[in-house]
Amino acid sequence: MSLAIASTALIGPGAGTGNASSHREAPLTAADPQVDNTDVYAFTSPDNPDTVTLIANWLPFQEPNGGPNFYPWADGAHYDVNIDSQGTGKPDITYRWTFHTDDQRGTNTFLYNNGVVNNLTDPTLLFRQYYTLQELRPGCEPVTLVEHGQVAPSDTGKASMPDYGRLRNQATVQLPGGGQTVATQAADPFFLDLRVFDLLYGGNLSEVGQNTLAGYNVNTVALQIPKSRLAFKGDPGRNPVIGVWSSTEKQTLKLSPGKADPTGRHVQVSRLGNPLVNEVVVPAGLKDTFNSLPPSQDHNQPVLVNKVLNPEVPQLVQAIYGIPAPATPRTDLQEIFLTGIAKATNGPLAVDLNSQLMNQDIDASKFVPAEELRLNMSTPVTANPDRLGVLDGDFQGYPNGRRLTDDVVDIELQALEGATPGHLIPALAAGDKVDHADKPFSAAFPYVALPYAKAVNQPN
């Protein structure tokens, strides 16, 4: 795969226009942040390359001082990470976290904790959440991987929780058959300057350089799992490509004085695969619908497909900055977002990168275009990851999965306008000037940074 072709493969929509990656992107989830997916990451674990790490985040813009209730997971909702190993747009595996709350405050106190919390078992921690983690496969009985896992709580501050890393370690659970998982609060790993909404950084790229998400936290589930558990027929050598997306299902709430009880069947209310798609490809009137759809139905939505083939953002860039928009229809984008990139798709990007059509044992007649984050698990781990991923010749980076350090905003900002490796568009070379997260990531699972504990509105 030549670098030039790889660069062309990355020409995509949404350059620099994400409302974060999927933070408050749709009307209904903006009003219900507990079930709002924000980002999904999928990558070969750098310190354990026989495994894949899947990270999914919810509940954006958590200001650390937001007590006294802080940021619980929604009781009874289904927080899912889905794996499509055959390219049908349907999950072959779903990992499902379901949470419940043990609130010991009652009528005695308003405090989340009434003393220092050094351990998850300390009686000073008054608000606790637990979860069940199940592995679901079609036609099979659910397999419970974790029966009563404890969530690492919201970080209420240094005085209350002097060593949050200790609490997160205690909340990390080893899984039967290999792998591990944790449900925790974390510093939001996504990074960008959100002044994109003021005429694309002020109309002249003057409003750049501030990581708008610095200081905010998210709720995170992280799962490290052997590749053989994810690959079709358990064979990552023959079937290395998977599609990944997160989704949330919830029940209707039955309200009574002082209570809100979930009732009825679960309904999908949010989903996320590739970053920035629902923000800047899907039009406002279709965003809630997109969140409710399974990926298997994406190709049956003509408005959605048209917005992939004829995206809005390049026209905005042309109008504001005078950079000509590439010709439409954008069949290259159809490969990136709906089919994966492979010779077998018969698209313009005649390379094998990350489509399930590369898997040797699938039934190609059942393959459908579906919006998913696709990962080729056979791509070797990069010793020195490049933040621009495939665009800079690092084939383990986005859009081949997504690592925490991948700068998806700058990747799309440059590639959108036809940049090739080593030949960036000069007017946009600096991007949004936010090239990395504010807090460094860990070298070991779960890799995400510990949550912020100080208020966002600090002096200076």
Side-chain angles (χ1 to χ4, degrees):
M1 179 177 183
S2 73
L3 295 185
I5 291 176
S7 172
T8 304
L10 274 174
I11 297 175
T17 62
N19 184 10
S21 188
S22 181
H23 302 51
R24 296 172 49 82
E25 87 290 347
L28 290 179
T29 53
D32 194 359
Q34 278 185 304
V35 296
D36 185 5
N37 306 69
T38 66
D39 286 279
V40 176
Y41 302 84
F43 52 91
T44 293
S45 310
D47 55 336
N48 192 359
D50 290 332
T51 69
V52 162
T53 294
L54 305 168
I55 296 172
N57 299 330
W58 281 267
L59 214 168
F61 295 114
Q62 297 179 15
E63 210 286 337
N65 290 350
N69 294 305
F70 293 94
Y71 304 102
W73 300 85
D75 279 11
H78 293 162
Y79 293 89
D80 294 348
V81 175
N82 306 283
I83 310 297
D84 172 13
S85 59
Q86 299 185 70
T88 62
K90 300 176 182 179
D92 294 291
I93 312 167
T94 294
Y95 292 100
R96 172 168 293 167
W97 289 259
T98 307
F99 296 88
H100 68 274
T101 299
D102 177 17
D103 188 348
Q104 301 175 8
R105 294 174 296 180
T107 58
N108 297 320
T109 181
F110 63 88
L111 292 169
Y112 191 91
N113 57 285
N114 61 359
V116 177
V117 179
N118 290 310
N119 302 283
L120 293 181
T121 55
D122 287 350
T124 50
L125 180 60
L126 303 178
F127 187 94
R128 306 166 190 264
Q129 289 199 293
Y130 300 89
Y131 67 90
T132 299
L133 171 59
Q134 293 179 304
E135 181 182 85
L136 310 176
R137 296 176 184 260
C140 300
E141 289 295 317
V143 175
T144 298
L145 300 178
V146 180
E147 180 70 42
H148 193 63
Q150 187 168 353
V151 177
S154 294
D155 189 348
T156 57
K158 290 297 183 183
S160 292
M161 299 177 183
D163 188 353
Y164 191 86
R166 176 185 174 94
L167 301 178
R168 187 173 78 176
N169 289 339
Q170 292 176 358
T172 301
V173 178
Q174 301 302 308
L175 300 179
Q180 52 189 325
T181 190
V182 67
T184 182
Q185 190 181 48
D188 195 331
F190 193 63
F191 51 95
L192 83 166
D193 193 317
L194 272 174
R195 294 297 291 176
V196 64
F197 293 109
D198 185 18
L199 291 180
L200 302 182
Y201 300 111
N204 58 3
L205 291 178
S206 62
E207 298 176 353
V208 293
Q210 178 187 0
N211 181 7
T212 316
L213 297 180
Y216 291 101
N217 298 321
V218 288
N219 282 356
T220 295
V221 293
L223 175 70
Q224 192 172 81
I225 203 79
K227 291 178 177 178
S228 59
R229 294 270 288 277
L230 302 178
F232 184 52
K233 293 189 174 181
D235 190 342
R238 289 179 58 82
N239 306 299
V241 179
I242 58 173
V244 181
W245 71 98
S246 64
S247 56
T248 324
E249 297 179 344
K250 66 176 298 186
Q251 297 169 282
T252 299
L253 293 179
K254 181 180 180 181
L255 302 179
S256 57
K259 295 181 65 178
D261 297 318
T263 184
R265 70 184 185 91
H266 283 78
V267 176
Q268 181 177 301
V269 294
S270 184
R271 66 178 264 211
L272 188 136
N274 284 281
L276 307 175
V277 168
N278 202 0
E279 291 70 33
V280 299
V281 178
V282 180
L286 192 60
K287 289 183 182 295
D288 290 329
T289 299
F290 177 83
N291 269 338
S292 71
L293 288 172
S296 60
Q297 292 301 311
D298 290 341
H299 69 291
N300 291 325
Q301 305 299 314
V303 175
L304 173 62
V305 174
N306 181 63
K307 283 297 184 179
V308 173
L309 296 174
N310 300 279
E312 179 182 3
V313 170
Q315 300 301 323
L316 298 175
V317 173
Q318 178 173 309
I320 295 172
Y321 290 106
I323 300 173
T328 58
R330 298 294 299 275
T331 51
D332 55 336
L333 303 186
Q334 181 169 282
E335 282 195 85
I336 294 168
F337 294 116
L338 296 179
T339 65
I341 300 167
K343 296 175 183 177
T345 64
N346 297 315
L349 310 174
V351 293
D352 284 331
L353 181 65
N354 68 340
S355 173
Q356 291 100 328
L357 287 170
M358 296 166 56
N359 292 340
Q360 297 180 48
D361 296 326
I362 70 164
D363 181 351
S365 68
K366 296 181 180 179
F367 182 90
V368 298
E371 197 281 299
E372 303 171 354
L373 178 66
R374 290 175 169 86
L375 171 67
N376 186 338
M377 298 186 290
S378 70
T379 306
V381 173
T382 305
N384 298 298
D386 191 297
R387 69 181 182 88
L388 296 181
V390 174
L391 183 60
D392 234 6
D394 180 357
F395 299 132
Q396 197 208 9
Y398 182 76
N400 186 14
R402 183 184 177 190
R403 302 166 300 193
L404 293 167
T405 55
D406 287 342
D407 191 348
V408 295
V409 172
D410 278 9
I411 289 170
E412 293 181 352
L413 179 64
Q414 277 293 325
L416 172 65
E417 303 306 328
T420 58
H423 298 87
L424 301 181
I425 304 302
L428 304 174
D432 65 355
K433 293 188 178 181
V434 179
D435 297 342
H436 54 79
D438 186 59
K439 296 184 72 172
F441 302 117
S442 170
F445 183 84
Y447 307 105
V448 291
L450 296 174
Y452 292 95
K454 294 183 179 179
V456 173
N457 59 341
Q458 293 290 306
N460 302 318

